[in-house]
Amino acid sequence: KADDPAYVIYTSGSTGNPKGVVGLHRGALNRFHWMWKAYPFKDLETCCQKTSLSFVDSVWEIFGPLLQGVQTIIIPDDTVKDRHLLIEMLSTQAVTRIVLVPSLLRAILDAQDNLDERLPLLTMWVTSGEEISVELAERFLKRMPHARLINLYGSSEVSADATCYEVAGVQGQARVPIGKPIE
């Protein structure tokens, strides 16, 4: 049923006190349906699962593509921690979508000058979990002009993502907006 628990996920929230948050089927399904409608999968897409299973983004990385029959590769922790190996795997596995925190996005952008050439198929980059800076968003848009950058905002208590902003340009803004509520 919609209000039945779907998963329990770790979060420290803004308090820093660790706790388990129960995610409901309703929240997960709302998030999946919104993403599939707003950013539908295309033929021959490949997603990746690289987030620890103890964090809510892993739910979207695993079940979002799986429930749509989209190929997903699993990236080992050691590979994620080595940005050069990560880029190599994203390239060789022809990954088209990635969900990542802004600090990992920064590490990837810092790793290689010709990133746009190395990852031409990776056209959907979704950030969440941390605030993304204007500087980082601008760097991404300059370095990856063929790609889309989606900024999601929310918390584990509301199935992680409550708002969305597609970053098209943020020059002169003090912050990257968190966007509008997902539907």
Side-chain angles (χ1 to χ4, degrees), residues 126-145:
V126 179
T127 62
S128 70
E130 303 168 359
E131 182 177 357
I132 183 169
S133 70
V134 169
E135 176 270 329
L136 182 58
E138 287 177 341
R139 272 185 66 208
F140 175 86
L141 294 172
K142 286 179 186 169
R143 300 274 316 279
M144 302 297 288

Side-chain angles (χ1 to χ4, degrees), residues 9 19 37 39 56 82 99 176:
I9 207 82
K19 63 184 175 195
K37 180 181 164 193
Y39 301 100
V56 75
D82 182 323
V99 177
V176 175

Side-chain angles (χ1 to χ4, degrees), residues 22-88:
V22 177
L24 304 179
H25 283 277
R26 177 188 315 275
L29 289 175
N30 182 59
R31 165 60 167 80
F32 291 138
H33 285 288
W34 166 78
M35 188 63 145
W36 297 332
K37 180 181 164 193
Y39 301 100
F41 290 110
K42 297 176 184 139
D43 290 340
L44 305 176
E45 286 216 51
T46 300
C47 295
C48 64
Q49 195 286 315
K50 44 124 207 67
T51 301
S52 167
L53 297 178
S54 62
F55 292 99
V56 75
D57 282 350
S58 68
V59 174
W60 319 127
E61 286 181 332
I62 296 168
F63 295 106
L66 177 69
L67 293 171
Q68 294 288 298
V70 174
Q71 177 177 312
T72 300
I73 61 149
I74 298 172
I75 301 178
D77 249 4
D78 292 345
T79 301
V80 175
K81 291 176 183 173
D82 182 323
R83 59 191 180 179
H84 299 288
L85 286 177
L86 177 58
I87 291 168
E88 181 64 27

Side-chain angles (χ1 to χ4, degrees), residues 159-170:
S159 297
D161 302 316
T163 65
C164 174
Y165 179 74
E166 186 162 348
V167 182
V170 288

Side-chain angles (χ1 to χ4, degrees), residues 74-151:
I74 298 172
I75 301 178
D77 249 4
D78 292 345
T79 301
V80 175
K81 291 176 183 173
D82 182 323
R83 59 191 180 179
H84 299 288
L85 286 177
L86 177 58
I87 291 168
E88 181 64 27
M89 181 169 261
L90 294 171
S91 176
T92 59
Q93 296 297 319
V95 171
T96 59
R97 292 185 186 215
I98 190 169
V99 177
L100 69 173
V101 293
S103 53
L104 182 55
L105 175 61
R106 181 177 301 284
I108 291 171
L109 289 177
D110 289 346
Q112 202 157 17
D113 288 336
N114 63 341
L115 199 58
D116 192 38
E117 294 170 21
R118 294 277 302 152
L119 303 173
L121 299 177
L122 185 48
T123 57
M124 178 73 67
W125 299 66
V126 179
T127 62
S128 70
E130 303 168 359
E131 182 177 357
I132 183 169
S133 70
V134 169
E135 176 270 329
L136 182 58
E138 287 177 341
R139 272 185 66 208
F140 175 86
L141 294 172
K142 286 179 186 169
R143 300 274 316 279
M144 302 297 288
H146 74 282
R148 296 167 90 174
L149 179 61
I150 313 299
N151 184 39

